[in-house]
Amino acid sequence: MERILHEITAVSHRIEGMDCSISSLTLETKSMRSDIAGFQSRVTGLEHRMGSLETLIVASRDRDRDLLYLRSKLTDLEDRSRRDNIRLLGILENEEGTDMQTFLSSTLSKLTSLDFDPPLEIQRAHRVGPKRSDTSLRPRPIIACLLCHNQT
């Protein structure tokens, strides 16, 4: 009988150990479920952020396409605005006097030996760069904007 009592005590100890193990496993399971819920929450957040980033990428591509189009339009506009311009080199400083446009209208006919009909109309004209105090230096170029590019 003692032997049976001893075995019952041993089984009882094993059951108590199993209860502790089961309690420990239950706590670990709860902890794992909590961790899984946290991971699922993070994954959901990351999926949302990924969707937002994909939207931004699409919008960025659209903006890049629009930017390229606008750059080409700007280049075209700049080219069109410059085609009315002529640049004259080698005309001495102060030779134009006080009225650059009148000077150029008369001088261009003489320099090119062309008779402009109708007369050459200059919208604006000026020298490029700061005035030079040393007259031995090369004279500054003159930029003239013609009223109509077909006159050139």
Side-chain angles (χ1 to χ4, degrees):
M1 176 100 140
E2 234 179 86
R3 190 172 159 193
I4 293 174
L5 198 55
H6 186 278
E7 282 183 27
I8 290 173
T9 306
V11 169
S12 175
H13 285 288
R14 276 197 232 162
I15 290 173
E16 285 175 8
M18 286 183 180
D19 283 342
C20 287
S21 294
I22 290 172
S23 296
S24 175
L25 287 175
T26 304
L27 288 175
E28 284 183 35
T29 303
K30 285 180 182 178
S31 175
M32 286 181 179
R33 284 184 181 159
S34 175
D35 290 345
I36 288 171
F39 288 138
Q40 287 174 335
S41 173
R42 287 182 187 162
V43 166
T44 303
L46 289 173
E47 285 173 345
H48 177 69
R49 289 175 63 191
M50 189 105 153
S52 297
L53 288 174
E54 287 171 347
T55 303
L56 288 174
I57 288 170
V58 169
S60 175
R61 285 181 184 151
D62 290 344
R63 274 188 252 128
D64 287 349
R65 187 186 66 243
D66 291 345
L67 181 62
L68 287 173
Y69 173 74
L70 290 173
R71 279 186 181 166
S72 70
K73 293 291 283 181
L74 178 62
T75 300
D76 182 57
L77 286 171
E78 286 178 345
D79 291 345
R80 287 177 188 268
S81 72
R82 288 186 180 131
R83 72 179 176 185
D84 298 340
N85 294 345
I86 58 172
R87 182 171 50 164
L88 303 167
L89 304 172
I91 297 176
L92 297 176
E93 295 279 339
N94 298 322
E95 192 172 323
E96 69 273 4
T98 58
D99 189 4
M100 179 73 78
Q101 292 176 343
T102 305
F103 169 76
L104 288 179
S105 292
S106 63
T107 305
L108 286 176
S109 296
K110 294 174 193 172
L111 289 174
T112 60
S113 66
L114 295 174
D115 187 26
F116 293 104
D117 188 32
L120 196 59
E121 294 181 61
I122 298 174
Q123 189 174 7
R124 64 183 177 276
H126 60 89
R127 289 200 181 260
V128 178
K131 189 166 183 135
R132 297 179 180 154
S133 58
D134 189 0
T135 56
S136 66
L137 296 174
R138 184 175 69 206
R140 296 176 295 160
I142 296 174
I143 300 290
C145 179
L146 302 178
L147 194 57
C148 181
H149 72 274
N150 292 335
Q151 289 181 324
T152 57

